[in-house]
Amino acid sequence: MLLRQKKFAEAREVYQGLLGETNILVANERLRFGVLLTYLGEHKEGHAQEVLQGITFPTETPAYYYAQAAWAFAHDKKSEAQDWIDKARQVFDPDAPLWFAHHLYHFGWIKNKPPLPKKHD
């Protein structure tokens, strides 16, 4: 919610606090992606670049692909960003990228609101 409200410093504080409390890889990847977005939102290039480099390939989630896409969008490289999104869709289960896509949507970088993930039995 803080990220959507563009309270980037507050959101980053929450994400970083949670990063110190979990060793679950999937959660860690999402939290690092969130930290990246806070720096991109504040246009803090150096910090954003540092976090981006910390989201290394391969990842258990589409974090790497969506981090690359976020960086490209933030630098007005829409075609490159879309290529990263398309790659994530090819590699991961169709629902896996949706959590990441929602964040790009809230930043205004993608225009169509992603659907909610389907519930699995």
Side-chain angles (χ1 to χ4, degrees), residues 15-32 60-61:
Y15 290 140
Q16 289 173 329
L18 291 170
L19 270 168
E21 295 177 13
T22 186
N23 62 357
I24 300 169
L25 187 56
V26 171
N28 232 298
E29 291 177 359
R30 287 182 175 192
L31 292 168
R32 285 185 285 146
E60 291 294 314
T61 68

Side-chain angles (χ1 to χ4, degrees), residues 3 9 17 26 29 31 47 49 51 54 57 59 69 84 102-103 115 120:
L3 196 57
V26 171
E29 291 177 359
L31 292 168
H47 293 295
Q49 181 71 38
V51 173
F57 184 84
T59 52
W84 282 109
H102 274 276
H103 289 292
H120 298 283

Side-chain angles (χ1 to χ4, degrees), residues 3-50:
L3 196 57
R4 279 193 231 169
Q5 295 171 346
K6 299 187 183 209
K7 295 180 180 178
F8 299 120
E10 292 173 41
R12 184 171 45 254
E13 187 176 314
V14 170
Y15 290 140
Q16 289 173 329
L18 291 170
L19 270 168
E21 295 177 13
T22 186
N23 62 357
I24 300 169
L25 187 56
V26 171
N28 232 298
E29 291 177 359
R30 287 182 175 192
L31 292 168
R32 285 185 285 146
F33 178 75
V35 171
L36 171 67
L37 292 179
T38 67
Y39 284 127
L40 290 175
E42 292 179 319
H43 306 285
K44 292 186 175 181
E45 296 292 312
H47 293 295
Q49 181 71 38
E50 194 174 308

Side-chain angles (χ1 to χ4, degrees), residues 12-121:
R12 184 171 45 254
E13 187 176 314
V14 170
Y15 290 140
Q16 289 173 329
L18 291 170
L19 270 168
E21 295 177 13
T22 186
N23 62 357
I24 300 169
L25 187 56
V26 171
N28 232 298
E29 291 177 359
R30 287 182 175 192
L31 292 168
R32 285 185 285 146
F33 178 75
V35 171
L36 171 67
L37 292 179
T38 67
Y39 284 127
L40 290 175
E42 292 179 319
H43 306 285
K44 292 186 175 181
E45 296 292 312
H47 293 295
Q49 181 71 38
E50 194 174 308
V51 173
L52 180 66
Q53 290 173 351
I55 302 173
T56 57
F57 184 84
T59 52
E60 291 294 314
T61 68
Y64 177 81
Y65 299 91
Y66 274 80
Q68 298 296 327
W71 179 265
F73 276 127
H75 294 90
D76 205 27
K77 296 178 180 179
K78 295 175 186 172
S79 178
E80 183 180 321
Q82 189 59 53
D83 288 346
W84 282 109
I85 291 170
D86 292 343
K87 287 176 189 175
R89 289 180 180 154
Q90 292 170 6
V91 173
F92 291 92
D93 176 271
D95 284 349
L98 297 177
W99 184 89
F100 297 92
H102 274 276
H103 289 292
L104 299 186
Y105 170 78
H106 290 297
F107 265 73
W109 290 331
I110 59 175
K111 301 304 175 201
N112 296 325
K113 186 174 184 175
L116 295 173
K118 296 175 187 137
K119 292 187 178 189
H120 298 283
D121 296 328

